[in-house]
Structures are given as structure tokens and as C-alpha cells.
Amino acid sequence: MLGSVFFRKFHVAGLIAAPILLANMSLAEPMHGIAMYGAPDLPQGFTNLPYANPKAPKGGRIRMGESGSFDSLNPWVVKGRAPVAISNFVAESLMERSYDEPFTLYGLLAESVETDDARSWVEFTLREEARFSDGSPVTVEDVMWSYETLGLQGHPRYQNAWRKIAKMEQTGPRSVRFTFSEADRELALIMGMRPVLQKAQWQDQDFAEATMTAPIGSGPYRIATVEMGKYLTLERNPDWWGKDLGFNAGRHNFDEMRFDYFNDGGVVFEAFKGGELDTWRETNAAKWARDYDFPAVQSGEVIKAEIPHARPSGIQGFVMNTRNPVFADWRVREAMLLAFNFEFINATLNNGAEPRITSYFANSSLGMRPGPAEGKVAELLAPYAADLLPGVIEGYELPVSDGSELNRKNTRKAVALLEEAGWQVDTDGVLKNASGAPFTFSILLQQGAAETSSIVDIYVEALSRLGIFPTVETVDDAQYTARRNSYEFDMTWHWVATSLSPGNEQYLYWGARGVTEPGSRNLMGMNVPAAEAMIDAMLEARSQEDFRAAVQALDRILTAGRYVIPSWYSKVSRLAYVKALHYPERLPLYGDWPGFQPDVWWYEAE
């Protein structure tokens, strides 16, 4: 994760404690869980998570398909692309979140967590029974090595929090304490969410470059078979140390999970239809209504389910890389938004069934409100008013077309803005600047992204009416990942899932470090001090009201920044699956979160 503080390379032995007093230490006591605000909902000794079925049978397997490929088994570094299943099911963290609460963690490898009222430090005590899959104990030494290694050599998402650690120390045979160098109330939770890796396995390797090593984890699954780029099979560890924890009751029920990779999303769907896969997640409402009448659905062998959720919309659409001077002017970006005829595209591809993403935290109480900023939101933005783009304080809404293909009214507005920014259509019908250089850029796409390609086709046609003729580059999965990580693109498809508990990860998404530091999610290259100030305010908030105001203010900065041309989102998740698969009736707050399937699903044939 990326912050605004200066980067300092250091070794644990050289960490110097910051001048933070361990205030209110008398108030600290070991707890089974920790919440961002208030107390955890579940009591000490709870028997299961509310959304897990503790009576779910163990056994069977699930076969899932992924679009793309992978060339690494190390998901914790920038290099390569690794299956997310490794980080989700092979490795574990000290604590894990409940998806029935906005941001609450319960002990996993750690039996307890302790912090002071100011959250200037946090201490974890490991469970004595915690073991890696090879039978060796999980130790404080493993924890400290993992945190330092990830903080210095791991993916940027780990680095921001590491920079805020003043001191890391072993405080007992099974206890480790982190003291923080600055105010950040989320850090006490963040420190519980880092993967704990086995130090001995990586001792003779360059961790940042080691992509072919099959990691030994402490999680419920271990890697069984793998063919790089093709498939990965995980097998449930029958001797898993954590199988009897209340937190894990009713979870991790399959004996085997197989993940097959295909270059094209359409091929994945055909594999599901052909019985090679057990489940498919449909993201297109029109296809959901049109393409699910094949024999297995008609016979009842395949079930269709729509699972509601209360997650924010996140942001999904075409991101403009402002590192390219052509997109540096907000008026040009607004013109690009005006040319994107959402109403026509949505009707053409979705039968108009999906709502548009209106802001980064839309569909939740964290989303910005229409009209001018008011109350605490206005107070937070006021010090930065002179540097904010038009619309942040006054209010901003995405352009709306009349739904016709030509989109004449918005096209005229786009032409006017481009002229203001120094661009005019020449006699040859090409948009050029005063020096005669054409307005040109390329759109980078991932091979096999059929739906995105369909959107691009319509958008490129609309841009031609402005005298803009972009090129479209379609590359394989490895090239796509590498170019995104190094920001070698002008425009590309971007998706960031936002949650009800945004925090330090927002630095990784929108922080200034991502302008130059590779591997961040700041694909737009934004460098806006006000955005980082709003993230700071989120992390320092003591109440839900203050937290919500800070997120709404950040949402205004991002949306009025006009960095992304948003597409649509869905208020339900659409899952098709074979009838032998089941999930609990009681759904969590987050509904179908990314790990919902297979985390709490099970296999039970008739």
C-alpha cells in the first residue's frame, strides 16, 4: 500500500521507536477480535460465523474456470501473475475478517489481539497449535520475517503500512508487538491481515524474484498439482491445524478445488456448458437472460441464482493515463466522457438492464451526495478548494445522452471542451493541436475480453466523430499484466472493488507514489494532495460520521477528477452452478464477496 510519507529502507534491527507514548495501556486487554469502530458482534467462543453452515458436509470437489493465465506461484510480489487461490486458501493471516460486518477481524493464527485506546500499538499472541502444512509450528520468528520481507520486497500493497511501523518486537514466546510511528487507527487491523509465510522455506531465495516456488502455508489447502498457465489443483489438508476453530466451522468444505485457465472468457462459458466446470459467474445481464437455456439448465442439472449484496459499486471502465500529456487536461477527459454514449451502449449490450456506476462508492452510504458539498464534507475539502477541479465542491454528475447512437448534444459539448483545451478538427477531419500534431492514443485490451471489445468498438466509432482515431492493442495475459504494472498504456480497462471499510489500501489506489512506483492500482497517475488528505482523515476518524464524511469527500475528488469512464454495475451476483453445489440460506452483509464461492459452499449429491 502506498502513502504520502517518504520511503525509508530499513531492517528490523534498525527500527527506531517513534515518540508515541503507549497511552491508556491500562485499558488494553487481550481480545478475540477487533472492529474498526465499536466492538465485534460475535462473542468470545462463538461456534461459527453467521453465514456459514456448521453442518455442511466435507468432501467432493469443485471445478472453476478463470479467464487468462498465470506464470507465478508467488502472489505476494509484483513480478508475474499468480492464482489468487494460493493467497486465499494456502496461506493464512493472524486474523481474518467477517463479511457480515463492515470491518471486523477475528483471531485465526492469533488467539488474541491487544491494543491501546489510541491504537498506537497492537500486539498479537499466536495459537500454540498453529502449524504449517508440513507440521512445523508457526512462530513469532515466521511472523516477523514475513512482515519485514513483504514490507521491503513484497507487492506495493504491503509497503505503506510497513513504513508506519516504528518498532516490531517479540514480547513473549508466542507474542509480537507493532508500535506505530504515526496516527492511523486502521493499522491495528491491517497488521492482523498480512500473510504469514514459513521463513525456512524462503531462506536461500530472492523473495521478490522467486515465482516458481510452491509455497508452504498454514491454510486449509495445499497445492496438489499445477501446470503453469493451465490449471491449479488444491487439496484439503486433513491435518489442518485450524479445522476445529469456530471461525472455520462450515468453511473450506471441498476435498479438492481445481482452477482451469482459458485465454478467452467465452471459452470458459463453453467449458461450463459442456460440463467441464461446475460453476460460472455471469457479469452480463443480457447474456444471463438470453444464453442460459441450454439442456443442463432446462433439466435442472444447472441452477441459476441471483445473490444480492450491499457492496459499493466500485469503479469499472476505461481509465485514462494522465502520465500521457494528451490526458493531462481535465477538459479533455470530460470530452472523452461526453463521447462515451453510456445509454446507447448499455441498451445495445445489456438491454438497458444495468445501472451506471455514478461514483466510486455508489450504491452505499459512503458515496458522494448530489449537489454542493455540505457539512463535514465541505469542511474537509475547504482547505484545498483552490486546487480542486471544477465539480468537486460544487457537485458533479456524469454526462447523460439521449440514448440515440449519434449523441449529438454531448458531441457538441465535447467539441467545445476540446477547442478550449487547444484541439481543433483540421480540414482532413483529424483533431489536431496548434502545432498540427494529431490527437492520438491507444486502448490496451486483454486477450479474450470479448465484452470489453464490444464496448470499445462502439466507443471508437463515437470518437471518430470528434476526429479522434485511437488504435486498439490486444495483448496476452502476461503482457497485459506487465504493461499495467509499469503504466505502459494510454487507456485501458480498469476495475477497483471498493468496500464498506476503505482504508490504507486507498493509498495504493490513488496515492502519489503510484505515479512512478510500479505495481500500484493508481493507473490514472493521479497526484492530488487533497485525496491523500481525505484518506488520512478516514484513518484518523473516531466516529462513523467522521469516517463517512471523509470517504464521501474522497469520492467527490475521484469522480470529478474524470479519470475513469465508468460502465455499469449490478446489484446482484449471477451464479450458475451444478445442483450438487450448495450454499447457506443466510447471506452475509457483503453477499457474494470474492471468496463466497467456494469459501462457505459445499458438495452434496442427491
Side-chain angles (χ1 to χ4, degrees), residues 545-569:
E545 183 183 8
D546 289 345
F547 174 76
R548 187 161 47 247
V551 181
Q552 289 176 354
L554 175 65
D555 200 21
R556 283 175 169 267
I557 294 168
L558 296 172
T559 306
R562 300 152 169 98
Y563 303 112
V564 177
I565 304 168
S567 61
W568 51 79
Y569 72 101

Side-chain angles (χ1 to χ4, degrees), residues 386-404:
D387 299 317
L388 294 174
L389 292 182
V392 175
I393 293 179
E394 308 92 323
Y396 176 76
E397 293 183 5
L398 294 170
V400 178
S401 78
D402 60 8
S404 66

Side-chain angles (χ1 to χ4, degrees), residues 338 341 343 356 397-403 407 409-410 413:
L338 284 159
N341 191 346
E343 287 69 29
R356 190 176 197 183
E397 293 183 5
L398 294 170
V400 178
S401 78
D402 60 8
N407 189 25
K409 183 178 179 180
N410 283 350
K413 291 180 179 178

Side-chain angles (χ1 to χ4, degrees), residues 64 94 145 201 277 285 340 360 393 429 431 475 499 603:
M64 291 172 281
L94 295 173
W145 177 86
Q201 182 184 22
L277 303 174
F340 187 82
Y360 291 56
I393 293 179
L431 189 70
V475 300
S499 73
Y603 179 93

Side-chain angles (χ1 to χ4, degrees), residues 269-329:
F269 179 59
E270 291 302 320
F272 170 63
K273 286 174 61 178
E276 298 175 41
L277 303 174
D278 297 321
T279 182
W280 173 247
R281 185 184 303 275
E282 182 57 69
T283 58
N284 185 288
K287 290 181 179 178
W288 183 251
R290 182 188 67 223
D291 297 344
Y292 287 77
D293 59 351
F294 52 92
V297 174
Q298 294 174 356
S299 69
E301 290 300 312
V302 166
I303 296 171
K304 294 173 62 179
E306 295 188 358
I307 302 172
H309 65 80
R311 301 189 305 271
S313 64
I315 194 69
Q316 182 171 232
F318 290 108
V319 62
M320 292 169 273
N321 188 349
T322 62
R323 301 173 187 85
N324 179 348
V326 77
F327 290 133
D329 192 316

Side-chain angles (χ1 to χ4, degrees), residues 329-571:
D329 192 316
W330 71 266
R331 294 169 297 185
V332 169
R333 300 198 298 273
E334 176 72 2
M336 296 295 102
L337 280 155
L338 284 159
F340 187 82
N341 191 346
F342 172 79
E343 287 69 29
F344 176 75
I345 292 172
N346 192 30
T348 303
L349 301 182
N350 288 325
N351 293 330
E354 301 285 43
R356 190 176 197 183
I357 295 170
T358 56
S359 76
Y360 291 56
F361 292 91
N363 194 43
S364 78
S365 62
L366 301 179
M368 68 179 199
R369 297 294 177 257
E374 298 177 341
K376 291 189 175 184
V377 175
E379 292 173 14
L380 286 166
L381 294 171
Y384 306 92
D387 299 317
L388 294 174
L389 292 182
V392 175
I393 293 179
E394 308 92 323
Y396 176 76
E397 293 183 5
L398 294 170
V400 178
S401 78
D402 60 8
S404 66
E405 183 176 3
L406 294 181
N407 189 25
R408 287 190 174 92
K409 183 178 179 180
N410 283 350
T411 300
R412 288 194 295 270
K413 291 180 179 178
V415 168
L417 281 169
L418 289 168
E419 289 179 351
E420 282 184 29
W423 298 92
Q424 287 192 331
V425 177
D426 205 344
T427 54
D428 59 2
V430 176
L431 189 70
K432 297 178 181 179
N433 62 16
S435 301
F439 187 108
T440 183
F441 66 94
S442 64
I443 303 174
L444 180 68
L445 298 181
Q446 184 178 13
Q447 192 175 64
E451 185 173 87
T452 308
S453 296
S454 298
I455 300 173
V456 166
D457 290 342
I458 301 174
Y459 189 39
V460 167
E461 176 64 26
L463 288 171
S464 68
R465 301 186 192 105
L466 298 175
I468 300 172
F469 303 91
T471 58
V472 179
E473 295 182 82
T474 302
V475 300
D476 63 32
D477 198 51
Q479 293 182 67
Y480 185 72
T481 300
R483 288 183 60 177
R484 281 170 57 100
N485 281 341
S486 57
Y487 316 121
E488 296 176 30
F489 64 88
D490 299 324
M491 180 183 286
T492 192
W493 192 254
H494 192 30
W495 178 67
V496 174
T498 53
S499 73
L500 295 172
S501 57
N504 273 270
E505 79 286 347
Q506 302 298 304
Y507 288 121
L508 179 70
Y509 299 165
W510 332 117
R513 283 187 169 277
V515 175
T516 56
E517 191 172 78
S520 82
R521 302 296 296 279
N522 184 2
L523 298 192
M524 61 277 289
M526 62 180 283
N527 182 0
V528 182
E532 293 195 343
M534 298 310 110
I535 300 172
D536 290 342
M538 288 161 45
L539 300 177
E540 295 167 10
R542 288 292 192 112
S543 70
Q544 281 284 4
E545 183 183 8
D546 289 345
F547 174 76
R548 187 161 47 247
V551 181
Q552 289 176 354
L554 175 65
D555 200 21
R556 283 175 169 267
I557 294 168
L558 296 172
T559 306
R562 300 152 169 98
Y563 303 112
V564 177
I565 304 168
S567 61
W568 51 79
Y569 72 101
S570 178
K571 295 185 178 183

